[in-house]
Amino acid sequence: MGRGKIEIRRIDNKTTRQVTFAKRRSGLFKKTRELSVLCDAQIGVIIFSSTGKLFEYSEGARIDTLVRRYLSTTGTEIPQQNDDEELQNQLRRMKGETQSLQLSLQRYTGGDLSSVRIEELAHLEHELECSVNKVRARKFELLQQQMENLRRKEKMLEDENDQIIHMIKAHQVAMVEQQQPVEGTSGGATKQEAETSNMLDMLPFLRPEDQPEGVRLQLATLLTPPQFQPYRIQPTHPSLQDFTLHTGDFA
């Protein structure tokens, strides 16, 4: 059986069309090279895909050389565009757009409304109302976010406050337990005093009765919590009356 003929028409499937384009393009370049080598011909191929991508292939000479040779042979010329005129047209168009934008900004701020028709004023009012609604919606959204942040911060502060109160209560309970007398001790000693006595029992060499009198005084000083006495500031210049009294003592 012979190979069936393929109907030459545009391929609707985009993927299939791209695959077919790549295969046929490679085959076309291959045939171009074979024709140039076999017949000693200068051939150039320029292809633009459906997406606008350029593909070119030349054999025997460069593409620009072939194009110039084609133009000189056929007597055609590429029309030269006046760049200065095009630039002037673009400049005039940009100036017109700038003036139109400036006029629109003046109307939005309430200036130069003397020449505006009532239809344009109604349209301007509608646009301003829409803008105000958008601004109010955004403002309300930001206020809601700030309120949520403040609520979360308040909850965190309340939790920290509860933790601090719990720690204070636990500390107060521990202090009360230390001040309560311990059972089995003589004279109803407190917990702190019982701990001090236990420490002395564990370290016999620290017992006051086993030490000389000087060592016992030092131990009493170390084991007894310091008592802070008020300090009275003495005057740097005593009065004459105090000086007279002290002088009279030596008389």
Side-chain angles (χ1 to χ4, degrees):
M1 294 181 62
R3 185 176 180 182
K5 294 183 179 180
I6 300 176
E7 183 181 0
I8 304 301
R9 63 182 182 86
R10 182 179 181 274
I11 301 174
D12 296 330
N13 192 338
K14 184 177 180 180
T15 303
T16 306
R17 186 168 63 246
Q18 291 293 335
V19 173
T20 304
F21 173 78
K23 291 181 179 180
R24 295 296 180 105
R25 184 193 64 211
S26 300
L28 178 61
F29 289 165
K30 182 179 179 181
K31 293 295 182 181
T32 301
R33 181 178 180 279
E34 291 176 357
L35 180 61
S36 175
V37 172
L38 293 175
C39 302
D40 193 18
Q42 295 181 351
I43 305 175
V45 179
I46 299 175
I47 303 174
F48 288 96
S49 66
S50 59
T51 57
K53 190 174 181 179
L54 171 64
F55 299 92
E56 62 180 22
Y57 179 81
S58 62
E59 190 70 29
R62 295 180 56 181
I63 287 292
D64 54 351
T65 304
L66 294 175
V67 170
R68 284 195 299 269
R69 184 177 178 182
Y70 169 78
L71 293 176
S72 62
T73 302
T74 58
T76 57
E77 295 182 358
I78 300 176
Q80 300 292 331
Q81 296 181 354
N82 192 349
D83 296 336
D84 294 337
E85 183 179 357
E86 184 179 358
L87 290 176
Q88 292 294 332
N89 293 332
Q90 292 182 359
L91 183 60
R92 283 193 295 269
R93 186 179 69 255
M94 293 177 65
K95 285 184 178 180
E97 293 177 355
T98 303
Q99 292 177 359
S100 178
L101 291 174
Q102 290 178 351
L103 182 60
S104 300
L105 291 176
Q106 291 179 0
R107 291 177 179 178
Y108 280 123
T109 56
D112 193 15
L113 297 176
S114 58
S115 61
V116 182
R117 296 178 299 178
I118 186 170
E119 293 82 3
E120 296 178 353
L121 289 174
H123 179 68
L124 180 62
E125 181 181 7
H126 177 70
E127 290 183 351
L128 291 175
E129 288 179 354
C130 293
S131 301
V132 170
N133 292 331
K134 292 180 180 179
V135 172
R136 287 176 179 172
R138 179 57 179 169
K139 180 181 177 181
F140 181 75
E141 182 181 356
L142 292 177
L143 289 175
Q144 290 292 334
Q145 293 179 1
Q146 292 179 0
M147 290 295 295
E148 291 295 332
N149 294 333
L150 291 175
R151 291 192 185 97
R152 287 194 294 267
K153 187 175 181 181
E154 181 182 5
K155 184 65 171 57
M156 293 174 59
L157 292 176
E158 289 179 354
D159 295 339
E160 292 180 359
N161 190 22
D162 293 339
Q163 293 179 1
I164 293 173
I165 292 174
H166 180 72
M167 293 174 60
I168 292 174
K169 289 182 178 180
H171 181 69
Q172 291 177 352
V173 171
M175 292 295 294
V176 170
E177 291 179 354
Q178 288 184 359
Q179 296 298 330
Q180 290 179 356
V182 180
E183 296 181 359
T185 58
S186 60
T190 62
K191 187 176 181 180
Q192 185 176 4
E193 294 175 352
E195 291 178 355
T196 303
S197 177
N198 293 333
M199 183 180 66
L200 293 176
D201 294 337
M202 293 173 62
L203 303 174
F205 57 87
L206 292 178
R207 293 177 181 173
E209 59 271 13
D210 297 337
Q211 302 294 337
E213 183 178 357
V215 178
R216 278 183 283 171
L217 291 176
Q218 293 180 2
L219 289 175
T221 304
L222 293 173
L223 296 176
T224 305
Q227 301 293 332
F228 297 97
Q229 299 295 335
Y231 178 74
R232 183 177 181 183
I233 301 176
Q234 299 296 332
T236 57
H237 299 285
S239 61
L240 293 177
Q241 184 178 358
D242 295 338
F243 181 79
T244 303
L245 292 176
H246 289 294
T247 307
D249 294 339
F250 292 99

